Amino acid sequence: PIQRRSRRACNCRWSISVVPGATTRDGFLRMTEASTHDPALALVELGANDLFQEVLVADARANLVMIIDRFRRAGVAVALLSFSHPDMIDHPLPDHRLQDQKAEALPYHQMLLALADEFGLPIVEYIFEDIWWNEELMFDSVHPNGRGYLLMEGNVVRGLHGLLVPNDLYSE
């Protein structure tokens, strides 16, 4: 995992755990590792690889429910970060794999919204806002580059402002 202090006025340490190609099932299997960081807040952004690897939405949902449940039982607050958004799905980049998976992508987005509603979780619906269509901010067709990730961090902070400020995790 990568650990760093945020550039912003964040009263926290970020621990980011990224495994290329990881699915929601992989995320669930790595819960023990995540808990060693003694998190106060888990930002869960999983599901894109499930979509690309053609994992059923119901299976991805079941894995996410187990992740949410385990974090909550450990006293960890959970927020969801959506990798997809109808703007991305309806207007994918030319020759992007989403061109062939539009019908499958929207149910993933809807599933994340439904989970947030069902569990009363905050969600950032569009972490790629102002990044997705900008080649200068993308490393490849799926991942932002360094500048893109800095913008994504801002999207997350704005999207979770109501959670971060009252819990002294961010100051303006």
Side-chain angles (χ1 to χ4, degrees):
I2 300 166
Q3 294 186 5
R4 70 178 186 83
R5 285 289 279 176
S6 173
R7 300 179 297 104
R8 294 177 167 72
C10 183
N11 304 321
C12 57
R13 184 188 76 226
W14 296 92
S15 179
I16 304 168
S17 182
V18 178
V19 176
T23 63
T24 55
R25 178 74 180 148
D26 299 323
F28 176 72
L29 294 174
R30 294 181 64 221
M31 293 291 300
T32 301
E33 177 189 338
S35 65
T36 65
H37 298 284
D38 193 27
L41 171 64
L43 304 177
V44 178
E45 191 276 320
L46 289 164
N49 291 318
D50 293 70
L51 169 66
F52 296 143
Q53 294 176 32
E54 299 180 3
V55 173
L56 295 175
V57 174
D59 293 340
R61 183 191 185 287
N63 292 328
L64 287 168
V65 166
M66 290 188 298
I67 290 169
I68 292 164
D69 183 57
R70 185 173 286 176
F71 273 130
R72 291 176 100 182
R73 281 189 286 122
V76 178
V78 178
L80 299 177
L81 308 179
S82 179
F83 67 89
S84 66
H85 187 271
D87 286 348
M88 294 169 62
I89 297 164
D90 292 339
H91 308 286
L93 299 170
D95 300 322
H96 193 277
R97 63 179 97 181
L98 274 178
Q99 290 281 1
D100 298 327
Q101 292 182 302
K102 286 183 182 182
E104 294 84 9
L106 190 56
Y108 271 90
H109 181 71
Q110 293 167 334
M111 178 263 294
L112 289 170
L113 294 177
L115 280 176
D117 186 54
E118 178 182 339
F119 288 94
L121 302 175
I123 184 168
V124 179
E125 288 189 48
Y126 198 9
I127 61 173
F128 278 96
E129 187 171 5
D130 297 326
I131 301 167
W132 184 250
W133 293 281
N134 188 336
E135 288 181 10
E136 293 178 10
L137 299 174
M138 296 295 289
F139 173 74
D140 59 24
S141 67
V142 179
H143 304 97
N145 60 24
R147 287 181 41 222
Y149 275 117
L150 290 174
L151 287 174
M152 186 179 286
E153 178 184 4
N155 291 343
V156 171
V157 169
R158 273 189 307 285
L160 298 177
H161 189 267
L163 172 71
L164 298 174
V165 171
N167 290 291
D168 197 32
L169 296 172
Y170 181 82
S171 57
E172 300 178 289

